Amino acid sequence: MKTVILDVRDPKEAMTDFAQVWNSNKQQKSDRISFASPELLWKVLTAKRWELLKALCGAGPISIREAARRVERDVKGVHGDVVALLEAGLLDRTEEGAIVFPYEAVKVEFLLRAA
């Protein structure tokens, strides 16, 4: 099962881990997208975008119009969310212009520590 892990980590730590994986030449079981803060994670992954990801999970390539129909929202609003998710690396666009969520699962990780 291809999984994407969304986590909250210091950018230096994320880059160090990336370099280690890059230099190891090992295939990873999951992709990882890191955010610098929980606030940034929730800014990108809003409730409506989460709903959109759920509708796209396992759907294969579909048009933005079809995605909007599935989540019962207007195309313009879904288009804005698709752009944000593309920029975050959560969605891909096919050569034909369709969008696809290339994962079968999403795991969100972050740790809340006492101040």
Side-chain angles (χ1 to χ4, degrees):
M1 173 171 25
K2 189 170 182 186
T3 301
V4 62
I5 299 170
L6 307 178
D7 66 5
V8 176
R9 297 194 291 169
D10 179 81
K12 289 180 186 177
E13 180 185 344
M15 288 306 295
T16 299
D17 287 351
F18 171 78
Q20 288 175 347
V21 170
W22 182 270
N23 292 328
S24 74
N25 280 335
K26 289 183 182 176
Q27 180 70 22
Q28 299 298 305
K29 292 181 181 179
S30 59
D31 291 344
R32 183 177 293 272
I33 300 173
S34 296
F35 295 86
S37 69
E39 293 80 14
L40 182 57
L41 170 68
W42 300 131
K43 183 176 181 179
V44 172
L45 197 62
T46 65
K48 289 189 182 230
R49 291 176 187 161
W50 184 257
E51 179 185 8
L52 181 58
L53 289 179
K54 288 193 309 187
L56 295 174
C57 193
I62 63 172
S63 68
I64 293 175
R65 184 172 303 283
E66 174 59 18
R69 188 192 66 73
R70 290 182 184 201
V71 293
E72 299 177 350
R73 293 179 47 210
D74 66 284
V75 174
K76 184 177 177 181
V78 170
H79 180 270
D81 287 340
V82 165
V83 169
L85 293 170
L86 285 165
E87 290 174 355
L90 283 162
L91 294 181
D92 291 333
R93 191 177 290 277
T94 67
E95 290 182 15
E96 296 79 25
I99 55 170
V100 63
F101 181 61
Y103 304 102
E104 297 168 352
V106 179
K107 182 177 183 179
V108 180
E109 296 179 349
F110 67 92
L111 180 64
L112 177 63
R113 296 181 189 197

